Amino acid sequence: MSYAVKECFLTLQGEGVQSGSRAVFLRFAGCNLWSGREQDRATAQCNFCDTDFVGTDGEAGGRFADAESLADHVRRIWGSGDGQRLVVITGGEPMLQLDPALIEALHDRGFRVAVESNGTLPAVDGIDWLCVSPKSGTEVVQRRGDELKLVWPQPGVDLDELERWDFANFLVQPMDCETREQSLAAAIGLVMERPKWRLSLQTHKLIGLP
């Protein structure tokens, strides 16, 4: 299987439980909830995405013929450094391309594989850390994992239903939009009312990292 990668870069994980960890971000091109074109945003199932996942023209992006070549690419970007290697696979929607062969190749190179998904496609086996970020109005089939990250506010989300899902961590993240101060206040309010949840901030944006 070949892979279309928008970008691949070394940074710090800025969100969620693993925030602050050195990681290679591997961003696949393509999503099943939005085309990525602004003219389609208003009618998309997810219309608040803040990420460019169209094409393969980003930093260290491209097309890779097989899992071995892409895993080697990730290894080169990691560079030197002891300790646990971490790759965060995201998108777009990574489950459109991620397969067991790539996970195995990354494991062979010493990487822990973390994935950030919208949950509308089932996760493949072998993932070490699975974060699901549900979008209102979509059918989430992946209802178990390590981290549920809810971008807030989202009208129509049933919090009681989400809290019945099988996740080790429940996080709420303020929506990055023109009314971000109101979004932050709403996220804080949710945590204060429902202590099962924890606040997650996009710390990479606060400190100027990609």
Side-chain angles (χ1 to χ4, degrees):
M1 173 178 174
S2 62
Y3 306 90
V5 174
K6 173 63 180 184
E7 57 185 348
C8 193
F9 56 92
L10 183 66
T11 187
L12 299 180
Q13 168 63 288
E15 303 174 2
V17 175
Q18 300 187 102
S19 180
S21 301
R22 181 187 188 192
V24 174
F25 263 65
L26 171 59
R27 188 180 309 284
F28 280 134
C31 184
N32 61 333
L33 299 184
W34 177 42
S35 69
R37 299 180 300 181
E38 284 302 319
Q39 60 265 37
D40 299 330
R41 184 185 286 272
T43 57
Q45 288 182 284
C46 175
N47 58 19
F48 56 82
C49 182
D50 60 358
T51 303
D52 178 9
F53 53 80
V54 177
T56 58
D57 58 345
E59 179 181 350
R63 294 189 177 274
F64 296 83
D66 52 40
E68 296 295 319
S69 61
L70 180 49
D72 283 341
H73 185 62
V74 171
R75 175 65 185 87
R76 284 191 294 272
I77 290 174
W78 175 266
S80 60
D82 296 329
Q84 177 68 63
R85 297 171 182 169
L86 175 65
V87 58
V88 179
I89 302 178
T90 183
E93 175 46 50
M95 294 306 172
L96 293 170
Q97 299 190 60
L98 183 60
D99 60 359
L102 180 57
I103 294 175
E104 181 179 358
L106 290 166
H107 282 163
D108 288 345
R109 288 155 181 80
F111 282 93
R112 250 179 106 239
V113 177
V115 176
E116 299 183 354
S117 169
N118 61 39
T120 60
L121 300 171
V124 297
D125 292 336
I127 295 169
D128 300 297
W129 185 272
L130 177 60
C131 172
V132 170
S133 182
K135 308 301 186 289
S136 178
T138 65
E139 178 60 31
V140 176
V141 299
Q142 185 62 46
R143 299 188 175 191
R144 62 189 308 163
D146 300 284
E147 182 178 318
L148 183 74
K149 183 179 68 181
L150 176 64
V151 177
W152 194 251
Q154 287 191 63
V157 168
D158 186 340
L159 294 171
D160 291 330
E161 172 65 20
L162 264 57
E163 290 178 1
R164 289 192 286 269
W165 296 357
D166 185 14
F167 286 85
N169 301 276
F170 288 77
L171 306 180
V172 58
Q173 181 170 290
M175 186 175 292
D176 186 8
C177 58
E178 294 180 357
T179 57
R180 57 176 55 91
E181 290 187 6
Q182 293 92 321
S183 297
L184 175 58
I188 292 172
L190 187 154
V191 175
M192 296 302 292
E193 293 176 6
R194 307 179 80 110
K196 187 168 187 173
W197 297 81
R198 294 163 52 193
L199 182 67
S200 173
L201 300 177
Q202 293 180 298
T203 58
H204 57 293
K205 294 183 178 180
L206 298 176
I207 62 177
L209 290 177

